[in-house]
Amino acid sequence: MAFKKGHLFISIFVSRLRRGKDLLSGIFWGHPYSFTSASVVSLTSTASFHGTFKVVILVIKSLLPPAFRIENRGEINNYLYFYLVYIYRVLYVLKYPYIIIMKFEIAKSLQKKKKQILEAWVQNQLKDESLREDLMSNDELRKESEELLDSLLQSINNKNISDTDSAEFDSLNEIISGISITRARQGFSPKETGSYIFSLREALIETLHKDFKGDPIELLSSTIQIVKLVDNLAVVTFETFIKGREEVILRQTNEITEISTPVIRVWDGILALPIIGTLDSSRTQVVMENLLVEIVESGSSIAILDISGVPAVDSLVAQHLIKTVSATRLMGAECIISGIRPEIAQTVVHLGIDLSNIVTKATLASALRYAFTLLKLEVKKTTKSEL
Amino acid sequence: MYIVLNKDRMVIEKEQDVVPYRNRVKEFAVKIGMSLVNQTKLITAASELVRNMLKYANGGVTTIEVISKGRENGIRLVFADKGPGIADLNLAMKDGFSTGKSLGLGLPGAKRLSSEFDIQSTVGKGTTVTIIKWKNG
C-alpha cells in the first residue's frame, strides 16, 4: 500500500518534468524525505508493533529502485536525474534511518523528554531579566511550570498540536487561565505572564532541535507547529487578563450607577433626585426604583428630577424621563423636572419631544419654590427683631 | 466642494461606546468654535443616530470630519452600518413612527437638528446616514 503511494509520487514527479515544470519543485518532490514521510502518514494510526513491522518493510521498499517506464529517448535525461535523486535518497535513509519513524513522534519525543524541557524552561525563566523574585520564589515557579508542562504534554498529540481549541486542551487552558489570574492578582504585568509562556517555546524548540538535527525540513515544520501552539497558549493568558479587567470595569460601572442616584429629602414631603451622567435603560431602572421606593417610605407627594448633570438629552433619555414621571404619577406623587439648560431646551424642541404634560423648571431652586406653593408652604425672610 | 480638514473614525459596538463617541464629537465641535447650542444640537443628533445604529444594526462605523465650504466650517458625521436596512425611508422619516417601541423621533429629530441630512439605505445591505452641522447653521 505504502509502496504504491510512493509509485504515485514518482509518476507525479515524472509527469511534472514532462510538462516542463521547473526542476526545483521537481527536486522538492523527489526529496528523499518528503517521499518517505508522505508514505509514512498512512502508518500513524496503526498499533505500535504492527507499525514497527510496516516501517521495516517501508525502509526496505524505499531502498528499491524506482519503477517507471521510459517512453522515448528524450526522457532518458529525466530518468538519469531521477536516478541520482534515488541514490541520494538511499544514502540519506542509510545515514538517518530514524527520519522515517520520526513523523509520528513529535508529541511522543516531547513527552519522553519532559524533565529536560522543564529544566531548560526553568533555566530560561531564571535567565530572563523580567523575573520577579520579589513576587514568586523559584520553588513556586518550578512547581507551577511543572504542573503546566505536565498538562501540556498530556494534552498534545500529533493531530491537535496546533489547535488549542480542541477539547483535549480544556484542562490545559483552565490551568493557564488560573495561572494568569493568580499572577495578575500577585501583581505581574501581562507582559511578564506572556513572556513566562513564551519562554516555554524556546525550551520546546531546543529539545526538538536535538531530535531533528539531520532533518531541517521536518525541524522547520515541527518548529512552526510548536510556535503556533505556544502562541495560542500565550493568547489565552492575555484573554484571561483582559477578561479579568473587564469584569472589574463592569463591576465598577454598576457601583457607580448605584452610588450616583441618591434620593434626597429636601423638605418634608419633597424629594430631590439629581441625575449626573447619561441616562440609559439600566440607569433609568435604578433611578426609578430608588425614587418609587423612597416615595412610599417617606410618604412624599412631590419629586424633583434634576437633570443639570445630564450632558445631552436625546429621544431615548427623554423617553426614560417621561416613563419615570408617569410611574411617579401612578404612585400619587407629582414629578417636576428641573435643570433644563437653554441649549437643551432648544434641542428638545427641535427633536420634537413633547414635554408639555410635565412640569419643567430651569433650576432646582425654582422647582423647589414651585413645590412649596403646591404644598402651600411659605418661606419668609425674618427681620432681626423677631429673632 | 467640501474640503476635509480633519478626520477621525470610530467603531461603535456596544452601548458603552456612545458616551466616548459623543465626547469625541464635542471635542471636534469645540475645536472649530461652534456655539454651545449648535454643539448640543450636533451631539444630540449624533447620539440619536448612534443609538439607532446600535439598536437596529448592532453597531457600525462612524466618521467625524471637519469640513469647510467657502468661509464656513462645519462638522460632517457619517454613520455606516451593515444592518437590515430601512424598507420605507419616507415612513421612517415621519415623526412618531418606530419599529422598536421608542418615541420615533430619532431620524426626523436628527434631520431637524442638523444643517444637512442625507440617508441611503438598501434592504439587507445596510444604512448610511450623513449629517452636516455648520458652525453657524
Side-chain angles (χ1 to χ4, degrees), chain A residues 328-362:
Chain A
T328 331
R329 280 185 180 157
L330 274 180
M331 305 280 300
E334 181 58 42
C335 193
I336 307 165
I337 294 179
S338 74
I340 296 186
R341 300 192 298 277
E343 66 271 14
I344 292 212
Q346 290 190 43
T347 315
V348 166
V349 170
H350 271 93
L351 263 179
I353 300 167
D354 185 17
L355 291 180
S356 55
N357 294 328
I358 299 169
V359 183
T360 53
K361 298 285 169 198

Side-chain angles (χ1 to χ4, degrees), chain A residues 61-349:
Chain A
K61 278 190 173 177
S62 67
L63 294 176
L64 295 172
F68 61 95
R69 279 167 56 199
I70 296 169
E71 282 165 1
N72 58 45
R73 278 182 146 237
E75 286 178 11
I76 282 280
N77 286 342
N78 291 349
Y79 185 78
L80 288 178
Y81 163 72
F82 188 80
Y83 208 78
L84 280 175
V85 172
Y86 164 69
I87 292 168
Y88 176 47
R89 187 178 75 208
V90 171
L91 293 175
Y92 205 91
V93 173
L94 288 177
K95 191 177 172 197
Y96 304 113
Y98 58 85
I99 58 165
I100 295 177
I101 45 173
M102 201 53 86
K103 183 74 183 175
F104 39 95
E105 291 216 337
I106 300 177
K108 263 190 207 162
S109 71
L110 287 178
Q111 274 152 9
K112 270 183 214 156
K113 298 197 171 159
K114 195 195 111 188
K115 268 193 179 160
Q116 207 178 320
I117 298 169
L118 180 66
E119 203 49 49
W121 187 20
V122 172
Q123 286 308 317
N124 277 350
Q125 292 178 54
L126 295 181
K127 260 187 270 167
D128 197 352
E129 278 176 16
S130 63
L131 179 75
R132 298 288 296 266
E133 277 170 284
D134 51 330
L135 296 176
M136 188 182 258
S137 74
N138 291 348
D139 284 341
E140 278 176 315
L141 186 69
R142 183 177 286 269
K143 212 175 149 196
E144 194 183 76
S145 307
E146 192 170 359
E147 189 194 3
L148 204 160
L149 193 63
D150 263 343
S151 171
L152 171 70
L153 294 180
Q154 272 167 22
S155 316
I156 54 169
N157 56 48
N158 269 350
K159 278 178 196 158
N160 67 8
I161 196 155
S162 50
D163 174 28
T164 45
D165 289 335
S166 61
E168 287 102 330
F169 279 101
D170 281 354
S171 66
L172 179 64
N173 283 341
E174 221 165 79
I175 290 179
I176 290 183
S177 311
I179 288 176
S180 177
I181 288 172
T182 44
R183 284 189 162 227
R185 276 190 200 133
Q186 281 164 340
F188 283 89
S189 73
K191 187 187 159 206
E192 282 157 355
T193 314
S195 53
Y196 162 69
I197 301 287
F198 282 134
S199 59
L200 170 63
R201 182 172 64 192
E202 283 154 33
L204 287 174
I205 291 174
E206 274 165 24
T207 317
L208 276 183
H209 181 64
K210 282 170 199 154
D211 277 0
F212 289 92
K213 240 178 207 160
D215 191 7
I217 293 175
E218 194 58 18
L219 178 61
L220 177 66
S221 75
S222 47
T223 304
I224 289 172
Q225 279 179 326
I226 294 289
V227 168
K228 255 191 196 169
L229 173 73
V230 178
D231 283 358
N232 283 340
L233 298 183
V235 168
V236 173
T237 70
F238 280 99
E239 246 177 18
T240 321
F241 195 86
I242 290 169
K243 242 181 232 163
R245 280 292 150 100
E246 266 173 4
E247 263 164 36
V248 171
I249 292 171
L250 214 66
R251 210 180 54 230
Q252 284 174 345
T253 314
N254 287 342
E255 272 168 21
I256 290 169
T257 321
E258 297 278 322
I259 293 166
S260 58
T261 47
V263 183
I264 307 158
R265 288 187 207 187
V266 272
W267 206 266
D268 202 21
I270 303 174
L271 295 178
L273 211 160
I275 301 168
I276 292 160
T278 336
L279 264 184
D280 53 16
S281 310
S282 58
R283 184 109 190 267
T284 315
Q285 199 58 41
V286 176
V287 167
M288 214 190 280
E289 264 170 35
N290 287 354
L291 183 62
L292 298 184
V293 167
E294 196 67 22
I295 284 175
V296 175
E297 273 181 10
S298 63
S300 302
S301 54
I302 292 174
I304 303 170
L305 273 181
D306 186 71
I307 57 166
S308 320
V310 180
V313 179
D314 56 14
S315 63
L316 188 76
V317 174
Q319 198 184 4
H320 288 323
L321 283 177
I322 292 169
K323 274 184 194 163
T324 314
V325 172
S326 316
T328 331
R329 280 185 180 157
L330 274 180
M331 305 280 300
E334 181 58 42
C335 193
I336 307 165
I337 294 179
S338 74
I340 296 186
R341 300 192 298 277
E343 66 271 14
I344 292 212
Q346 290 190 43
T347 315
V348 166
V349 170

Side-chain angles (χ1 to χ4, degrees), chain B:
Chain B
M1 181 162 91
Y2 302 129
I3 303 164
V4 179
L5 302 175
N6 203 345
K7 199 173 173 178
D8 200 359
R9 190 172 168 277
M10 244 177 119
V11 179
I12 307 289
E13 287 170 332
K14 46 188 186 296
E15 209 170 313
Q16 280 81 359
D17 293 336
V18 174
V19 174
Y21 175 71
R22 280 203 313 228
N23 291 342
R24 189 74 66 83
V25 174
K26 187 166 185 176
E27 265 171 41
F28 274 75
V30 169
K31 217 186 276 170
I32 65 164
M34 201 180 263
S35 70
L36 187 62
V37 173
N38 279 350
Q39 266 181 43
T40 314
K41 283 181 182 173
L42 176 70
I43 291 166
T44 311
S47 175
E48 295 288 348
L49 295 171
V50 163
R51 280 199 209 282
N52 273 354
M53 214 160 71
L54 273 174
K55 189 168 175 187
Y56 298 107
N58 282 326
V61 180
T62 60
T63 326
I64 313 169
E65 290 164 320
V66 177
I67 56 168
S68 120
K69 186 177 89 177
R71 240 181 266 167
E72 208 166 14
N73 278 2
I75 305 275
R76 177 162 66 185
L77 305 176
V78 182
F79 306 83
D81 69 54
K82 293 192 173 121
I86 301 169
D88 188 345
L89 277 180
N90 287 332
L91 194 58
M93 293 304 295
K94 227 180 223 171
D95 268 341
F97 173 80
S98 172
T99 54
K101 284 185 187 170
S102 59
L103 291 177
L105 294 171
L107 281 178
K111 188 177 182 180
R112 283 191 291 269
L113 287 170
S114 49
S115 318
E116 282 166 45
F117 182 92
D118 176 60
I119 180 165
Q120 307 283 340
S121 184
T122 320
V123 174
K125 284 201 172 159
T127 308
T128 305
V129 182
T130 310
I131 60 169
I132 296 174
K133 184 81 190 165
W134 298 112
K135 188 177 154 189
N136 303 311

Side-chain angles (χ1 to χ4, degrees), chain A residues 45-61:
Chain A
S45 54
T46 52
S48 63
F49 169 72
H50 201 54
T52 322
F53 177 68
K54 271 198 174 179
V55 166
V56 172
I57 299 282
L58 190 79
V59 172
I60 296 165
K61 278 190 173 177

